Amino acid sequence: MDTEESIREEALGSEEEIGSGDATEEGEDDSVEESSEEDSSEDAASTMAVSDRFVALGTHNGDVFILDFDGNLIKRFSSHTASVNDISIDTAEEFVASASMDGKVVIHGMYVDSTQVFNYRRPLKCVALDPDFSKKDTQQFVSGGLAGQLILNEKGWFGQKQDKVLQHSGEGPIYAARWRGTLIAYANDEGVKMYDTQSQQRITYIRRPQNNPRPDLYRPDLYRCNLCWRNDKQLLIGWANYIQIATVKEQNISGHPPLFAEVNMILNTNDFVVCGAAPFGDMTLILAYLTNHVEKNEDSDDPEQHKRPTAKRPELRIMNSSNEEISIDALPLHGFMHYQANDYVLDYFPSEDMFYIVSPKDLVLARPRDSDDHVGWLLDRYRYEEALDSLQEAQAWGGSKVYDINEVGERYLTYLIRQEDYSKAAENCKKVLKTDKELWEKWIFTFSELKHLKEITPYIPFKDPQLSSTIYEIVLAYFLNNDHKSLYETITNWPSSIYNVQSVIEPIEDVLEKENENKTLMECLAELYAYNQEPEKALEYNLRLRRPNAFDLIRKYNLFSAVQDKVILLMDFDQHFMSETQKANEKKKVEAKNMPAVQLLIENTDSVPIGHVVNQLQSRRYFLHIYLDALFSRDHHIGFEFHDLQVELYAEYDYPRLLDFLRASNYYSLEKAYEICKQRDLVPEMVFILGRMGNNKQALMLIIERLGDVQRAIDFAKEQADDDLWEDLLKYSLDKPRFITGLLDNLGNIDIDPKQLIKRIPDGLKIDGLKQALIKVLQDFNLQASLREGCQKILVSDSVSMANQLHRAQKRGISCRDDMVCNKCSAHIIKDVNVSDAPTTHLIFFCGHAFHEKCLFESDAIPKLPENFNKPHSVGTKVRHATLLQSMIPRPRCPICNESNQVAKQKEKPVRIRGFVRSTRDDEGMPPMVPLRL
């Protein structure tokens, strides 16, 4: 509900529009708006009636004014000398009846010059015309007043008027009467009654509720009854602080009227007094009268206790079928604080849901608030965003009839700019301007003039609609002069097709000439040149900015020729990228040779020649080392002409890997390498080079004298496999106890006779650990003897086992099939041959091939049995002949399998090993590995 402060503020702001506070205006569609105020004069309004065509207004001076719905005067009837208490209009709207305190009922014709006056000589409170008054000859109406009688007047025979008393006196004055169809409802002090003109019977009696905590509300003269027919069968009854609804129903009970009324209480409150009630759809509209209620003490002498309480603003309240208040609107009427409940009258225009409220000085129209009213109310309070939302929602129902959504949107943007809220104005541009190209360009120019293009830039569309290229170029030019970071962000976010790229590049280059180190402008140019299909220029700025995508650009557009002279720039980029990567991941070690620039150079040596790169990096030797190292790691043979240089570079920048390089490469000069190592006193490398040069004795001397490393000396001697070198090592070690101990510890792995070593140790030489060394020598000897003995046993066992296996295999018979043929002459071996008569004329090998003896051997090569064997076809003779064949030298072999083996051996190739050639078999007693000079 409204507070008095909010109501007073609203009334002062607008007397023609009634609101119920911000909350009601925002959320309720059933609120109402009131307008049309009657000019104040000496007279005062007392009652009112509304029809579909006009409004009839009665005054305390006895006049009846006929007004149109805009408040314009149509007619005026001055037929009474006292206050007009009630007005009734028939459904045809041809007659208007008025009842006055002067005791008269006057019926005026609206369209004919006809006036009927009925004088009852007692003050009248109500009058009700028959709804069909103009159609029936009887022309009935009822009236009542202080006499306490409800009188039905009708035209009888020969035009005579006849009165019929429907309610006798004794129950108090008749305060209200309403006629609907055949039913007449009227109220007196006791309650409300209904009369059926068709059955001419009173059908119901509704008593007033008696349990009211405020006794003053029982006075009907102060709080009259208000009757309103919702429809032909339902009657709204509002009296004091309650509202009832009476529903007329039919009944068929003998001795009872055909109709009866069922009554339900829909409201009982002590918050206000009901001054009128009317149907509002399926809800109820109530005119509420409120006072500042004061508990009075009748025995008190205080004058304040006897004053009449001050009234508050009357309110229109809407209640739903669940008796819940939906809306409350306070009425800003003149002099409301001095009025009583009976000073207000509520009537309505059913077909349009228009409600009229009359007070002594005001006539107010209230109608349901539509979306346009709500939008107007919001606009008056500068709540443009909510107004736009309401207009957007109204689009689903055909849109607003009053407001143009684009116009309201522009008003909103103008308001925000005046408030200097440029960010919010820009944010709402998309919502307001939508796809209107002209509006977008207009407002972008507005922001440009105000120098606030930055706020609107994120919302500028580049599709649906796409604006002219000039607009986009203006924005970019603004950022070039004011905000380079925003310029870069805008260039990367906008598609390049919406503006002229070259027109943007030129001014940026002009500014960059003055600001050479401006990285943001270089980033802008890198992007713009890429958009403009100028990859070479884009590459230059990408390299200067050290952007990783530079290498993708080189590969994508094959720009190797463009970077041939920018090798140092590429290597600088690698160093920067490596340091950034190392910072990001301190635990992971990053190798320089794996950086993108180095990999790009070594992968494309055809496009960027090695010599060209080396020449450029001569002044940056560390970069040169990184490049050649990566090249060597990729392929030991590429760039071999620079291996001499690499020896020096490894010695300078990567000494731990120098020896590995010396071992892996065969292309460097041994003399130059030795001089470099000698200058830097790199003894291990000098030893290796001397060994490779064949100067083993000098190398061994370096190990012994400079390094003093026994194990290294032993390993070197083993590697060279030179007996003279062992002898030299032994001589140099005789006066060095530590070397003697080392040799004794390694006797099992070196080519020195233990006896000779021990015998040649000088007498009296003190050797630390000699005892333990000798014990170890003996233990190793015993271990070797044991191992040899075990190996010999295993060898003998395996030899015996395999000999037995071979013997069993050779003794095994071979299955001969009947269809077996000679593999040389293809004649059958056994088939159709009498075994007892056949000589030993066939041989079968273990591989399955069979031959005739005559096909396999020449006649003179076949061994002959002695002549004293007179049974050549006996089994013994055959066995002896087979034994002779097996004893032949060379032993008979299967010619087919033997030929296949010879061909396979001829196809075998020797296996090459670095520095040696290993043959597949021993030829003429040569050792299997023959050293060759490469």
Side-chain angles (χ1 to χ4, degrees):
M1 294 179 62
D2 292 65
T3 62
E4 289 192 15
E5 183 177 354
S6 63
I7 296 174
R8 187 177 299 110
E9 181 180 353
E10 185 178 349
L12 293 174
S14 174
E15 292 186 4
E16 294 183 353
E17 181 175 344
I18 301 171
S20 62
D22 291 346
T24 305
E25 289 296 338
E26 289 177 15
E28 302 298 336
D29 293 334
D30 296 320
S31 56
V32 295
E33 180 185 333
E34 299 78 12
S35 62
S36 184
E37 176 185 313
E38 184 70 16
D39 293 338
S40 61
S41 63
E42 295 181 359
D43 198 1
S46 58
T47 189
M48 173 192 60
V50 181
S51 71
D52 290 348
R53 297 180 184 175
F54 55 84
V55 177
L57 181 68
T59 69
H60 285 289
N61 284 346
D63 295 328
V64 176
F65 296 94
I66 307 300
L67 308 173
D68 63 14
F69 293 123
D70 294 327
N72 300 314
L73 181 63
I74 299 175
K75 286 187 178 183
R76 177 176 179 177
F77 303 115
S78 300
S79 304
H80 298 285
T81 57
S83 298
V84 179
N85 289 330
D86 197 12
I87 297 176
S88 179
I89 305 172
D90 69 333
T91 54
E93 301 178 349
E94 296 182 6
F95 292 92
V96 177
S98 58
S100 174
M101 289 295 290
D102 61 6
K104 296 178 182 179
V105 173
V106 180
I107 302 175
H108 295 281
M110 286 295 300
Y111 310 109
V112 295
D113 189 11
S114 170
T115 302
Q116 303 177 48
V117 180
F118 302 89
N119 192 349
Y120 290 97
R121 305 182 187 281
R122 291 291 301 276
L124 297 177
K125 290 289 186 180
C126 59
V127 64
L129 291 176
D130 182 355
D132 297 326
F133 183 87
S134 61
K135 299 177 183 179
K136 295 180 179 179
D137 294 335
T138 56
Q139 293 189 334
Q140 295 176 318
F141 69 90
V142 294
S143 61
L146 298 181
Q149 294 178 335
L150 182 69
I151 299 174
L152 173 65
N153 184 288
E154 63 181 351
K155 186 184 292 186
W157 294 100
F158 306 109
Q160 296 292 328
K161 290 291 184 179
Q162 301 177 357
D163 292 336
K164 179 180 179 180
V165 179
L166 303 181
Q167 171 66 41
H168 294 280
S169 60
E171 296 182 359
I174 306 296
Y175 293 104
R178 293 293 180 266
W179 194 332
R180 181 73 174 256
T182 63
L183 300 176
I184 301 173
Y186 59 95
N188 56 22
D189 288 349
E190 298 298 324
V192 177
K193 301 179 182 179
M194 289 188 189
Y195 180 83
D196 182 12
T197 57
Q198 185 173 359
S199 64
Q200 298 185 355
Q201 297 182 41
R202 192 174 71 184
I203 64 172
T204 190
Y205 170 45
I206 304 170
R207 294 181 61 85
R208 293 181 63 190
Q210 302 298 315
N211 57 349
N212 199 312
R214 289 179 56 184
D216 59 308
L217 295 180
Y218 282 109
R219 294 184 57 182
D221 57 331
L222 295 180
Y223 306 103
R224 67 168 180 263
C225 181
N226 297 276
L227 302 177
C228 178
W229 285 99
R230 180 184 287 273
N231 50 48
D232 291 342
K233 297 297 182 180
Q234 287 185 325
L235 175 68
L236 288 173
I237 304 169
W239 205 342
N241 62 332
Y242 70 88
I243 295 179
Q244 295 174 306
I245 183 167
T247 303
V248 178
K249 298 182 178 181
E250 295 181 358
Q251 64 178 358
N252 188 12
I253 301 176
S254 178
H256 290 77
L259 301 174
F260 75 99
E262 185 179 274
V263 182
N264 294 306
M265 180 74 72
I266 63 173
L267 176 66
N268 186 1
T269 178
N270 293 322
D271 295 337
F272 58 87
V273 173
V274 178
C275 297
F280 181 43
D282 59 347
M283 297 179 286
T284 305
L285 181 73
I286 302 170
L287 177 59
Y289 174 78
L290 297 91
T291 60
N292 295 314
H293 181 69
V294 178
E295 295 292 337
K296 292 185 178 183
N297 184 1
E298 299 295 339
D299 299 332
S300 175
D301 296 332
D302 186 1
E304 296 294 332
Q305 293 291 326
H306 299 280
K307 285 185 178 180
R308 190 173 63 183
T310 304
K312 298 181 180 180
R313 293 178 186 273
E315 296 176 348
L316 283 179
R317 302 192 177 197
I318 298 175
M319 301 192 66
N320 60 15
S321 57
S322 302
N323 298 333
E324 298 173 346
E325 289 184 349
I326 302 302
S327 174
I328 301 175
D329 290 282
L331 304 178
L333 303 177
H334 295 86
F336 62 89
M337 67 287 296
H338 305 298
Y339 298 151
Q340 296 296 310
N342 288 350
D343 292 330
Y344 299 103
V345 178
L346 170 67
D347 203 352
Y348 74 107
F349 181 12
S351 60
E352 296 291 338
D353 277 339
M354 297 172 64
F355 302 87
Y356 289 85
I357 302 96
V358 68
S359 71
K361 294 297 181 181
D362 297 286
L363 175 61
V364 180
L365 168 64
R367 62 171 180 264
R369 190 182 302 279
D370 57 14
S371 60
D372 288 338
D373 297 323
H374 183 56
V375 170
W377 185 86
L378 292 171
L379 292 177
D380 291 340
R381 289 156 179 77
Y382 306 107
R383 293 160 64 172
Y384 292 99
E385 189 169 4
E386 297 175 57
L388 281 174
D389 292 338
S390 297
L391 288 173
Q392 189 66 38
E393 293 175 2
Q395 297 294 322
W397 295 277
S400 171
K401 299 178 182 178
V402 178
Y403 300 99
D404 179 72
I405 188 169
N406 294 329
E407 180 183 351
V408 173
E410 290 197 77
R411 285 175 60 186
Y412 181 33
L413 296 181
T414 303
Y415 168 77
L416 291 173
I417 287 177
R418 288 176 180 172
Q419 298 294 319
E420 297 185 356
D421 193 351
Y422 300 105
S423 297
K424 192 167 185 180
E427 182 182 346
N428 283 276
C429 281
K430 189 174 182 179
K431 178 180 179 181
V432 172
L433 307 180
K434 297 178 182 176
T435 59
D436 193 318
K437 178 181 178 181
E438 293 182 359
L439 285 179
W440 270 107
E441 293 181 352
K442 168 189 170 184
W443 280 98
I444 291 172
F445 277 120
T446 301
F447 276 85
S448 177
E449 293 172 357
L450 297 170
K451 297 183 179 180
H452 283 279
L453 274 175
K454 184 175 182 179
E455 284 80 357
I456 196 175
T457 299
Y459 308 101
I460 294 178
F462 44 81
K463 184 175 69 174
D464 298 330
Q466 179 176 335
L467 311 180
S468 66
S469 61
T470 304
I471 295 295
Y472 302 111
E473 292 169 13
I474 288 174
V475 175
L476 295 174
Y478 170 80
F479 285 138
L480 177 60
N481 296 325
N482 297 278
D483 189 348
H484 293 168
K485 183 178 180 181
S486 297
L487 173 64
Y488 174 71
E489 292 175 354
T490 306
I491 289 174
T492 54
N493 291 332
W494 281 359
S496 60
S497 59
I498 63 176
Y499 56 87
N500 188 324
V501 177
Q502 189 61 37
S503 299
V504 178
I505 289 175
E506 293 174 358
I508 296 178
E509 285 185 333
D510 294 339
V511 176
L512 187 60
E513 289 180 0
K514 302 174 183 177
E515 305 176 20
N516 294 330
E517 300 301 324
N518 192 319
K519 292 185 177 181
T520 306
L521 291 182
M522 286 191 283
E523 288 176 343
C524 295
L525 288 174
E527 296 294 336
L528 290 172
Y529 277 122
Y531 293 155
N532 209 33
Q533 300 300 316
E534 296 181 81
E536 291 187 6
K537 293 184 178 180
L539 175 62
E540 179 182 353
Y541 288 106
N542 279 311
L543 291 176
R544 290 174 63 183
L545 293 166
R546 297 171 177 173
R547 299 171 71 176
N549 66 331
F551 304 105
D552 297 331
L553 200 63
I554 294 170
R555 292 186 176 92
K556 181 177 180 181
Y557 295 101
N558 195 22
L559 300 177
F560 299 103
S561 60
V563 297
Q564 279 187 356
D565 299 327
K566 296 182 175 63
V567 175
I568 294 180
L569 189 60
L570 290 174
M571 300 299 289
D572 279 330
F573 172 85
D574 261 5
Q575 292 301 303
H576 171 76
F577 186 68
M578 184 172 68
S579 62
E580 294 295 326
T581 306
Q582 194 68 51
K583 289 179 183 178
N585 191 352
E586 296 180 356
K587 297 181 179 179
K588 184 178 180 181
K589 185 178 180 180
V590 182
E591 293 188 11
K593 65 180 181 181
N594 294 327
M595 290 295 100
V598 177
Q599 292 299 314
L600 178 74
L601 293 173
I602 67 173
E603 289 173 1
N604 298 275
T605 54
D606 295 337
S607 302
V608 186
I610 299 173
H612 193 72
V613 176
V614 172
N615 290 335
Q616 292 185 62
L617 296 179
Q618 287 293 345
S619 61
R620 305 289 292 272
R621 291 175 60 82
Y622 178 64
F623 289 167
L624 181 60
H625 164 66
I626 293 173
Y627 171 71
L628 293 176
D629 178 43
L631 199 65
F632 182 76
S633 298
R634 181 177 179 86
D635 190 335
H636 292 353
H637 306 291
I638 299 179
F640 66 90
E641 64 269 28
F642 301 106
H643 283 197
D644 287 334
L645 177 60
Q646 276 191 271
V647 174
E648 187 175 355
L649 293 173
Y650 274 112
E652 183 176 357
Y653 297 108
D654 197 0
Y655 170 70
R657 297 181 57 206
L658 174 59
L659 188 58
D660 294 334
F661 173 76
L662 295 174
R663 293 179 186 278
S665 174
N666 295 316
Y667 298 106
Y668 59 88
S669 170
L670 296 176
E671 291 77 8
K672 291 182 180 180
Y674 181 78
E675 288 299 325
I676 292 171
C677 295
K678 185 176 181 181
Q679 291 173 5
R680 298 176 180 274
D681 197 24
L682 306 178
V683 178
E685 288 73 17
M686 292 167 63
V687 171
F688 173 78
I689 295 172
L690 288 172
R692 199 160 192 182
M693 294 170 67
N695 196 347
N696 296 330
K697 185 174 183 179
Q698 187 178 353
L700 183 62
M701 289 300 297
L702 280 175
I703 295 174
I704 295 173
E705 295 177 357
R706 296 293 304 279
L707 299 178
D709 190 341
V710 183
Q711 189 62 47
R712 184 186 289 268
I714 294 172
D715 293 339
F716 180 76
K718 288 168 58 177
E719 183 180 347
Q720 301 304 322
D722 186 354
D723 294 338
D724 294 337
L725 198 61
W726 282 113
E727 182 65 24
D728 292 339
L729 176 59
L730 183 57
K731 289 179 180 179
Y732 295 143
S733 302
L734 291 178
D735 58 346
K736 298 176 179 63
R738 186 164 57 86
F739 274 69
I740 294 175
T741 304
L743 290 173
L744 290 173
D745 289 338
N746 290 275
L747 278 176
N749 302 320
I750 62 178
D751 295 335
I752 295 179
D753 186 1
K755 295 180 181 180
Q756 294 296 327
L757 174 60
I758 295 172
K759 285 181 179 180
R760 296 175 67 175
I761 297 175
D763 295 335
L765 181 65
K766 185 178 180 181
I767 302 174
D768 295 332
L770 178 61
K771 180 178 179 181
Q772 289 77 7
L774 292 175
I775 292 174
K776 184 176 183 301
V777 170
L778 295 175
Q779 289 177 345
D780 290 344
F781 176 78
N782 291 332
L783 179 61
Q784 287 184 7
S786 176
L787 288 174
R788 289 178 180 179
E789 183 180 354
C791 291
Q792 184 178 5
K793 290 180 179 179
I794 294 172
L795 180 61
V796 171
S797 175
D798 289 346
S799 299
V800 172
S801 175
M802 295 180 71
N804 292 334
Q805 184 179 354
L806 176 62
H807 182 65
R808 287 194 298 272
Q810 290 178 344
K811 289 174 59 178
R812 186 181 60 194
I814 297 176
S815 175
C816 300
R817 303 186 305 275
D818 294 340
D819 59 348
M820 184 175 289
V821 296
C822 175
N823 286 91
K824 191 169 185 179
C825 66
S826 301
H828 287 279
I829 299 295
I830 298 175
K831 191 175 182 181
D832 301 330
V833 176
N834 189 349
V835 177
S836 62
D837 298 332
T840 307
T841 58
H842 54 272
L843 288 86
I844 300 176
F845 295 94
F846 287 108
C847 60
H849 296 131
F851 298 91
H852 290 110
E853 182 178 323
K854 63 183 180 180
C855 295
L856 188 61
F857 302 108
E858 294 180 2
S859 57
D860 56 349
I862 301 174
K864 304 295 184 180
L865 291 172
E867 294 180 357
N868 56 356
F869 284 95
N870 55 2
K871 296 180 180 179
H873 303 297
S874 65
V875 175
T877 303
K878 293 178 180 179
V879 170
R880 291 183 178 88
H881 185 69
T883 302
L884 289 173
L885 290 176
Q886 291 180 356
S887 64
M888 291 176 63
I889 298 176
R891 195 171 182 178
R893 296 183 179 182
C894 174
I896 297 175
C897 296
N898 189 42
E899 183 179 359
S900 299
N901 291 335
Q902 293 296 332
V903 173
K905 287 182 180 181
Q906 291 176 3
K907 291 183 178 180
E908 286 184 0
K909 295 182 179 180
V911 180
R912 289 188 175 272
I913 301 177
R914 183 181 301 277
F916 298 93
V917 177
R918 180 183 293 276
S919 176
T920 56
R921 62 188 179 86
D922 295 345
D923 295 329
E924 300 178 355
M926 292 184 66
M929 297 187 69
V930 181
L932 299 178
R933 186 173 181 82
L934 299 179

